[in-house]
């Protein structure tokens, strides 16, 4: 039986992950509706899927069972790399601006970029650099 952390979706990190997925999905819909470049669409759908996987990982407490990887650090790397890709792609979407819907998707991408940075900062604050490291650091 898989244990479920019912409090995670209501925690700040869980709500942030849900917000990231929602904003990324709306940006994806904007890019698809505007027939934007495939790179915009691919990045938006990846920003729905990857946070969903991390959300499920923490929700189902799989980070406690799969201990070969330090999951909070992997989550930070994901957020930082996502922010860099979002910066590049959304700058292109806003500068090129083939139509208003592409512009809306680019602006939502910038909102998503801010959410990624906030997610990385919140998780970084949870990881103790100077103190002893727990093998299964809490991601809430």
């Amino acid at each position: 039986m898989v244990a479920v952390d019912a409090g995670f979706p209501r925690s700040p990190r869980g709500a942030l992950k849900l917000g990231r997925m929602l904003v990324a999905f709306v940006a994806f819909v904007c890019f698809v509706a505007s027939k934007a470049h495939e790179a915009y669409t691919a990045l938006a759908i990846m920003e729905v899927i990857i946070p969903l996987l991390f959300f499920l990982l923490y929700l189902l407490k799989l980070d406690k069972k799969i201990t070969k990887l330090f999951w909070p650090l992997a989550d930070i790397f994901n957020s930082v790399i996502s922010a860099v890709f979002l910066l590049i792609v959304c700058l292109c979407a806003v500068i090129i601006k083939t139509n208003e819907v592409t512009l809306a998707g680019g602006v939502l991408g910038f909102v998503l970029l801010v959410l990624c940075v906030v997610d990385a900062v919140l998780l970084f604050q949870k990881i103790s650099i100077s103190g002893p490291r727990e093998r299964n650091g809490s991601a809430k």
Side-chain angles (χ1 to χ4, degrees):
M1 184 75 124
V2 176
V4 176
D5 185 2
F8 181 70
R10 291 183 296 272
S11 70
R13 295 225 347 98
L16 193 58
K17 291 257 184 254
L18 289 172
R20 278 180 64 182
M21 289 184 284
L22 179 67
V23 172
F25 182 74
V26 174
F28 168 74
V29 169
C30 288
F31 288 139
V32 168
S34 69
K35 295 178 178 44
H37 193 273
E38 296 86 15
Y40 305 159
T41 308
L43 183 63
I45 199 68
M46 282 177 34
E47 281 303 309
V48 172
I49 293 171
I50 295 173
L52 174 65
L53 293 175
F54 275 106
F55 183 81
L56 290 174
L57 177 89
Y58 296 132
L59 180 70
L60 300 175
K61 296 183 180 180
L62 294 176
D63 58 327
K64 305 278 191 261
K65 294 180 182 182
I66 306 171
T67 59
K68 298 294 181 194
L69 186 63
F70 188 55
W71 290 106
L73 188 60
D75 200 358
I76 287 176
F77 283 143
N78 170 57
S79 295
V80 170
I81 290 170
S82 294
V84 170
F85 280 133
L86 283 165
L87 178 66
I88 295 167
V89 169
C90 292
L91 273 175
C92 292
V94 170
I95 290 171
I96 295 172
K97 189 182 91 161
T98 55
N99 56 35
E100 283 76 25
V101 184
T102 304
L103 178 64
V107 170
L108 285 171
F110 283 124
V111 171
L112 187 56
L113 182 142
V114 170
L115 291 175
C116 285
V117 170
V118 170
D119 192 17
V121 168
L122 284 178
L123 191 51
F124 188 74
Q125 289 175 347
K126 293 291 182 183
I127 296 175
S128 174
I129 295 174
S130 59
R133 183 177 116 186
E134 289 182 31
R135 185 67 193 149
N136 296 335
S138 176
K140 284 187 186 175

